[in-house]
Amino acid sequence: MIASLAGNVVALEVGSAIIDVAGVGYLVQITSDTAHQLKIGQSVLLSTSLIVREDGFTLFGFTSITEQKVFDLLRSVSGVGPKSALAILGTLTVEQIIDAVGLDNDAAFRSVSGIGPKTAKLIIVTLAGKLVPNQKQVSRKDSATIGLVVTALTGLGWTERIALEAANQAVRKLGESASSNNLLKAALSQLGSSKTVSASDE
């Protein structure tokens, strides 16, 4: 199971990107909003969901754990496949999805291309109680996001202690609502390009 990717963007299109991780290029399906946030050559950290089917494997990437959780919840709805779930996240923000479910507003989902009235209503019914307005456990930045940042930093050569300290400082600087990608950039900016500190700390 590929749970996350930390590497450099080497190719970018509207709905996909290729992330180079230690010389291996991973094709990742992303929302148009995520595509607009990324740039060729940029270091990126994506939380991922791997979809396995008879005709192949497809990797979907997200800039936050929250987006990935909502993506997986949307896929649990009958009639909503991974492409439809990604389309929903490309049209509505996580907060808008949470509010729409909590307020029984199926019109929000009908605004997404490919989502009809029946499926929109089914999303509301299926996710009722799982996503509600201001639900803390879904919208809150949790320790898993910090874990992703720490994993990426240790993979780049810093010790776990230094990586954890940098990740926590990035959260304090940007706030809990920041994406894991932005947290990683803030942590890297703080640490700088030198790895001499981590080497001497071992």
Side-chain angles (χ1 to χ4, degrees):
M1 183 67 171
I2 302 174
S4 65
L5 292 177
N8 295 321
V9 180
V10 295
L12 188 62
E13 295 185 4
V14 175
S16 66
I18 297 178
I19 311 300
D20 182 286
V21 181
V24 179
Y26 291 86
L27 176 63
V28 187
Q29 303 300 309
I30 55 178
T31 66
S32 56
D33 184 60
T34 297
H36 290 142
Q37 294 178 42
L38 303 182
K39 295 180 180 179
I40 300 294
Q42 174 185 347
S43 294
V44 66
L45 173 62
L46 297 178
S47 178
T48 59
S49 287
L50 178 64
I51 309 300
V52 180
R53 290 184 170 176
E54 292 182 359
D55 57 349
F57 301 80
T58 306
L59 200 59
F60 293 82
F62 309 91
T63 56
S64 73
I65 290 287
T66 302
E67 272 193 329
Q68 183 195 8
K69 287 180 178 179
V70 174
F71 173 78
D72 288 337
L73 282 172
L74 286 168
R75 288 197 304 111
S76 71
V77 179
S78 178
V80 178
K83 289 186 178 180
S84 293
L86 197 68
I88 293 171
L89 280 167
T91 304
L92 305 172
T93 66
V94 168
E95 290 74 18
Q96 288 173 329
I97 293 172
I98 293 173
D99 287 342
V101 172
L103 299 174
D104 196 22
N105 177 23
D106 61 307
F109 296 106
R110 283 189 275 111
S111 69
V112 180
S113 177
I115 301 297
K118 183 178 178 180
T119 301
K121 192 63 180 177
L122 195 55
I123 292 172
I124 297 292
V125 173
T126 304
L127 301 189
K130 298 178 182 178
L131 291 175
V132 295
N134 300 319
Q135 184 180 12
K136 298 301 181 182
Q137 64 265 33
V138 174
S139 61
R140 182 180 61 209
K141 177 65 62 180
D142 54 26
S143 60
T145 300
I146 293 179
L148 281 172
V149 176
V150 171
T151 298
L153 293 175
T154 53
L156 292 172
W158 282 280
T159 65
E160 185 173 350
R161 180 181 65 79
I162 291 176
L164 180 59
E165 182 178 316
N168 284 326
Q169 288 187 16
V171 171
R172 288 194 290 270
K173 179 181 179 181
L174 300 181
E176 294 186 346
S177 61
S179 69
S180 54
N181 186 39
N182 286 335
L183 289 174
L184 176 60
K185 285 193 279 187
L188 285 171
S189 177
Q190 173 189 313
L191 290 169
S193 59
S194 174
K195 298 179 183 178
T196 55
V197 175
S198 62
S200 63
D201 188 64
E202 293 177 342

